[in-house]
């Protein structure tokens, strides 16, 4: 009760710093502009689901890398053999085996050809991406006299890794050209790039700018033969056919006469003579010289400008162009000319990038999410505050002060760390409000027990805080394990939820013990009350002596039946999987005239031939949710389907508020990751409980937790709630909450096993459950109130998420009493003395009114 100056200063300093770090996020911009520079000024970073913007997950297309590399090898091998060594050859490509086959016109030159081709291993194209010393090629003579040059998997992987790093720089340059603020561009895994651009609502334009390769090359057109004639008669050596922008095709030399890497500038402009937008470009010195040499040597011949393997234009060279500049003309609009200039200035992507995941949120939808989250948070906080005051009176006020400071510290930590606050993150804060009072309830109930045991007021307060801390730590560490697993295995909003949940646990431990004890101590020293009235309204009467273990067989039978029903219905009916797990696209649309007609939209979309298309109401009467199945043809086909749906609904008088696309690869990975995450969390928790208690406790906790997971999955199956990535977060949170409840009872069982040596285990368990029952009911009530505020006011985006967690509070409370506790009996736990010989008091514990429990 006597706080040292250092401890007092620490509490005051943390409180003031928390307020200072959290305050800038709630100040208007005009005030932040004059905010002193020496004070914290960083605000909370809002996720895309709160402020609007676009999220893209891009994957390097391995097939395109292999195809391009084989094309380069074919061209380089031909040059080495024919031009440098005079060895005649015929080269064919086999994409399946990732190799090229060289057939010599003179087989006796095989040894010389092998020696010459070994130079490919040391060519720039081979070593540029293989700094680690990985062998990219295998060059071997075949039995039929041919020479096979194949790409190794290690070489492909090494090249892909290097290309991702290059792609990140190109994407950053392109986005910087758009003038957006604070984009997030980072590597994800070995072959993916994550791009998040807050506040950029035109996702279609962003996708086009980011994912287009924008590889600009210049080729001479093959003279004297058209593309159609070449297709009929056979391609001349060293040529290729590419489509042109006007719908035809051109026969070009394979060799790149000049590449876009020599460009130093590209700007949209206007051709006055032809009255059309064009893109003007300028080469560097080396490129200007090469361009001048090419045009001087080929006057009267056609020169093709190729962008991403499509001929944009192929004009005739009228005269030498020595100034190092030119222009690209085509069917451009002002906007497309500007975007092409942006792409060319940003540089070409070194590889094709496929969009495997897309999430786009309009600013309006983000504002609605913030409004819903704040409303739910305020209502949930008020409900918890009122409940605590009614239950504990003045001590409830003390707990509320600690909980409010808890929220301030969470917001301050988010600001200080630069963490992103998402809509599930707001749900995490609201959940923290409900669960944070649990520590205070444990402390207060422990003080009441110490008073009933005959301790003095000061001794009861000190002992109550000290003896409750062990239980508080055990209960919160199990939830923290689940939060850590969520962060490392989750993504996006799920990670945001994990961050706020983990921060909430840490701040709860600080405020419950340090702050609440400080407030209670200062109040006691000032007021010197004659009696301590800890609780104002008693929800569970003192002296409760319900025999839970007497009905354990019925409870276990009921749990087995409900679990089997849940698994049976899940196996028969399955889950309403969101696109996170089954892939596809979903769009939230809003009618501009205020009335949504799902039948009309369903009819309009049915003619697009996109397979299964679902249209359903979503929240307000003017909103619909459209789901489109995964399309055959990969990422490009899926993007085309999304574009068709958007144009169709816009023509019908709707605006798109948000889009989400998940590829089949990502969805399958997410399912595996979710299963692994749940398994890792349960394993970590079991190891911790085994270390802190005994093996029976660990196994019992895991079985009861598995029961909760099964019943929660049953809820999703029975109710048809959408099961998505957030549902994994909900299940892991339920695991944490259920174990929190279980550990509180287990901790009391452990204590009473050592204290009451002549009482059987069933009686010990009944005593433990009855003594912790007030805390169990109070914590379940406050958490349920906070979650119901989220269910009612939190919006449709997280409704299935919050409904499942509210259900988890119910089943978690039930399983802690009727599953986790009686299992200890069946696993052979006994009431035996420990080696220290403790447990000499055989009298039953007393309740606050002095009655034996």
């Amino acid at each position: 009760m006597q706080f040292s100056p250092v401890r007092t200063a620490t509490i005051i300093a943390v409180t003031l710093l928390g307020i200072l770090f959290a305050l800038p996020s709630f100040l208007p911009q005009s005030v932040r502009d004059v905010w002193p520079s020496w004070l914290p000024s960083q605000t909370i970073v809002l996720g895309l689901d709160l402020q609007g913007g676009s999220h893209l997950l891009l994957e390097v297309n391995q097939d395109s890398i292999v195809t391009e590399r084989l094309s380069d090898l074919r061209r380089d091998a031909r040059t080495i053999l024919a031009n440098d060594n005079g060895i005649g050859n015929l080269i064919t490509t086999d994409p399946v085996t990732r190799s090229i086959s060289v057939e010599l016109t003179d087989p006796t030159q095989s040894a010389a050809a092998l020696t010459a081709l070994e130079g490919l291993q040391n060519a720039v194209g081979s070593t540029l991406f293989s700094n680690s010393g990985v062998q990219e090629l295998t060059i071997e003579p075949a039995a039929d006299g041919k020479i096979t040059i194949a790409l190794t998997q290690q070489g492909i992987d090494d090249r892909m890794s290097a290309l991702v790093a290059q792609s990140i720089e190109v994407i950053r340059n392109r986005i910087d050209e758009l003038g957006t603020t604070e984009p997030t561009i980072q590597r994800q895994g070995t072959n993916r790039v994550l791009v998040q651009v807050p506040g950029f609502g035109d996702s279609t334009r962003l996708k086009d700018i980011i994912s287009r390769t924008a590889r600009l090359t210049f080729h001479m057109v093959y003279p004297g033969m058209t593309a159609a004639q070449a297709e009929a008669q056979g391609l001349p050596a060293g040529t290729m056919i590419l489509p042109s922008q006007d719908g035809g095709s051109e026969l070009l030399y394979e060799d790149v006469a000049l590449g876009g890497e020599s460009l130093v500038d590209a700007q949209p402009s206007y051709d006055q003579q032809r009255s059309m937008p064009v893109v003007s470009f300028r080469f560097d010195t080396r490129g200007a010289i090469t361009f001048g040499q090419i045009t001087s040597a080929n006057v009267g011949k056609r020169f093709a400008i190729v962008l991403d393997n499509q001929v944009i234009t192929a004009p005739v060279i009228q005269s030498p162009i020595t100034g190092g500049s030119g222009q690209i003309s085509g069917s451009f609009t002002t906007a497309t000319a500007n975007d092409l200039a942006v792409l060319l200035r940003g540089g070409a992507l070194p590889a094709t990038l496929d969009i495997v995941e897309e999430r786009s949120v309009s600013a309006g939808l983000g504002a609605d999410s913030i409004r819903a989250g704040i409303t739910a948070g305020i209502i949930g906080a008020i409900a918890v505050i009122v409940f605590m005051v009614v239950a504990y009176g003045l001590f409830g006020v003390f707990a509320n002060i600690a909980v409010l400071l808890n929220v301030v510290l969470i917001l301050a930590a988010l600001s200080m760390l630069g963490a992103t606050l998402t809509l599930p993150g707001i749900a995490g804060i609201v959940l923290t409000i409900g669960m944070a009072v649990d520590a205070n309830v444990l402390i207060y109930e422990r003080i009441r027990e110490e008073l009933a045991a005959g301790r003095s007021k000061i001794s009861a307060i000190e002992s109550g805080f000290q003896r409750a801390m062990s239980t508080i730590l055990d209960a919160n560490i199990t939830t923290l394990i689940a939060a850590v697993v969520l962060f490392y295995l989750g993504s996006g909003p799920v990670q945001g939820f994990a961050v706020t949940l983990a921060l909430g646990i840490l701040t709860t431990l600080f405020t419950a013990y340090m702050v609440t004890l400080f407030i209670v101590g200062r109040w006691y020293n000032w007021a010197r009350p004659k009696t301590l009235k800890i609780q104002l309204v008693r929800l569970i009467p003192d002296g409760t002596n319900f025999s839970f273990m007497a009905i354990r067989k019925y409870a276990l039978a009921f749990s087995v039946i409900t679990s089997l029903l849940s698994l049976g219905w899940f196996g028969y009916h399955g889950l309403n999987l969101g696109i996170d797990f089954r892939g596809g696209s979903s769009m939230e649309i809003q009618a501009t005239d205020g009335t949504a007609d799902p039948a009309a939209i369903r009819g309009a979309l049915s003619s697009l031939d996109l397979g299964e298309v679902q249209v359903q109401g979503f929240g307000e009467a003017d909103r619909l949710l459209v789901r489109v199945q995964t399309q055959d043809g990969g990422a490009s086909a899926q993007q085309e389907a999304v574009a068709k749906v958007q144009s169709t609904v816009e023509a019908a008088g709707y605006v798109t508020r948000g889009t989400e696309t998940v590829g089949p690869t990502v969805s399958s990975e997410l399912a595996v990751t979710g299963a692994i995450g749940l398994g890792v969390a349960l394993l970590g928790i079991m190891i911790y409980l085994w270390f802190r208690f005994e093996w029976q406790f660990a196994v019992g906790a895991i079985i009861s937790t598995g029961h909760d997971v099964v019943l929660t999955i049953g809820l999703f199956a029975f109710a048809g709630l959408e099961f998505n990535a957030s549902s994994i977060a909900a299940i892991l949170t339920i695991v944490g909450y259920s174990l929190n409840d279980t550990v509180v009872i287990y901790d009391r069982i452990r204590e009473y096993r050592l204290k009451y040596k002549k009482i059987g285990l069933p009686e010990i368990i009944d005593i433990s459950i009855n003594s912790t029952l007030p805390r169990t009911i109070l914590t379940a009530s406050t958490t349920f109130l906070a979650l119901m505020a989220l269910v009612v006011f939190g919006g449709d985006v997280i409704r299935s998420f919050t409904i499942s967690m509210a259900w988890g509070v119910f089943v978690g409370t039930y399983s802690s009493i009727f599953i986790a506790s009686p299992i200890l009996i069946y696993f052979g736990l006994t009431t035996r003395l420990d080696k220290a010989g403790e447990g000499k008091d055989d009298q039953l514990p007393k309740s606050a009114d002095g009655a034996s429990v």
Side-chain angles (χ1 to χ4, degrees), residues 484-501:
V484 171
V485 171
L486 268 178
F487 179 79
Y488 280 103
L489 296 183
S491 62
V494 173
Q495 283 187 325
F497 174 77
V499 168
T500 54
L501 185 62

Side-chain angles (χ1 to χ4, degrees), residues 87 101 222 270 341 364 397 628 772 829:
I87 300 175
S101 180
Y222 190 83
Y270 199 79
V397 174
V628 181
T772 57
L829 189 68

Side-chain angles (χ1 to χ4, degrees), residues 682-692 698:
L682 291 176
L683 178 63
I685 291 166
M686 186 172 72
I687 292 173
Y688 176 78
L689 292 178
W690 199 325
F691 173 77
R692 288 287 292 152

Side-chain angles (χ1 to χ4, degrees), residues 198-528:
F200 195 86
D202 191 351
S203 61
T204 302
R205 183 184 177 208
L206 182 67
K207 286 185 294 185
D208 184 61
I209 289 177
I210 289 179
S211 61
R212 285 184 64 184
T213 307
R215 186 186 181 201
L216 184 70
T217 54
F218 298 84
H219 300 256
M220 295 304 302
V221 177
Y222 190 83
M225 181 181 291
T226 65
Q229 291 171 336
E231 288 178 342
Q233 302 173 17
L235 287 177
T239 63
M240 61 181 177
I241 296 176
L242 291 181
S244 58
Q245 196 176 53
D246 59 7
S249 56
E250 296 284 355
L251 180 62
L252 311 178
Y253 284 102
E254 279 187 335
D255 292 337
V256 178
L258 184 61
E261 65 274 4
S262 297
L263 289 178
V264 293
D265 190 24
Q267 297 291 337
S269 58
Y270 199 79
D271 189 324
Q272 298 292 342
Q273 293 183 347
R274 290 182 288 178
S275 299
M276 60 185 301
V278 295
V279 177
S280 300
F281 60 86
R282 181 166 53 88
F283 290 111
D284 58 18
T285 302
R286 187 181 65 177
I289 293 173
T290 303
F291 193 51
Q293 291 173 344
I294 293 172
T295 54
S296 297
N298 294 280
V299 173
K301 298 179 181 179
R302 296 176 66 208
F303 192 41
I305 302 175
V306 178
L307 179 67
D308 291 341
N309 291 323
Q310 184 182 47
V311 178
I312 301 298
T313 182
V316 175
I317 301 174
Q318 303 292 343
S319 60
I321 305 174
T322 57
S325 61
Q327 65 178 212
I328 303 172
S329 60
S331 55
F332 296 127
T333 64
T334 303
T336 56
N338 181 71
D339 286 349
L340 177 58
V342 167
L343 292 172
L344 296 180
R345 287 198 303 271
L349 283 172
T352 301
L353 297 179
D354 294 330
I355 299 173
V356 294
E357 184 181 61
E358 172 197 354
R359 304 182 196 276
S360 176
V361 178
S362 68
L365 181 56
D368 288 349
S369 297
I370 293 176
R371 193 178 306 112
I374 292 176
T375 301
I378 292 174
I379 293 174
I382 291 174
V384 171
I385 288 171
V386 170
F387 186 87
M388 287 299 292
V389 172
V390 170
Y392 286 103
L394 182 60
F395 279 79
V397 174
F398 297 157
N400 288 332
I401 293 173
V403 170
L404 291 177
L405 178 60
N406 192 351
V407 174
V408 171
L409 292 180
I410 293 174
L411 297 177
L414 289 172
S415 297
M416 185 172 59
L417 297 174
T420 301
L421 180 64
T422 61
L423 185 56
I426 293 178
I429 293 175
V430 178
L431 180 63
T432 299
I433 294 173
M435 295 180 64
V437 300
D438 176 61
N440 291 285
V441 171
L442 282 168
I443 292 169
Y444 293 163
E445 291 299 316
R446 198 76 202 208
I447 293 174
R448 294 180 77 253
E449 292 176 13
E450 298 300 321
L451 288 170
R455 291 183 181 270
S456 66
K457 295 186 290 294
I458 291 180
S459 178
I461 293 173
E462 290 183 336
S463 179
F465 274 91
Q466 290 172 0
R467 299 185 69 176
M469 275 311 294
S470 173
T471 305
I472 292 171
L473 282 172
D474 285 335
N476 281 278
I477 286 175
T478 54
T479 308
L480 184 62
I481 291 173
V484 171
V485 171
L486 268 178
F487 179 79
Y488 280 103
L489 296 183
S491 62
V494 173
Q495 283 187 325
F497 174 77
V499 168
T500 54
L501 185 62
L503 290 175
I505 292 169
L506 298 177
T507 55
T508 293
L509 294 175
F510 173 80
T511 56
Y513 187 71
M514 297 281 286
V515 177
T516 305
L517 179 57
F518 179 79
I519 295 173
V520 171
R522 287 293 177 265
W523 166 79
Y524 184 85
N525 290 331
W526 171 75
R528 292 292 175 178

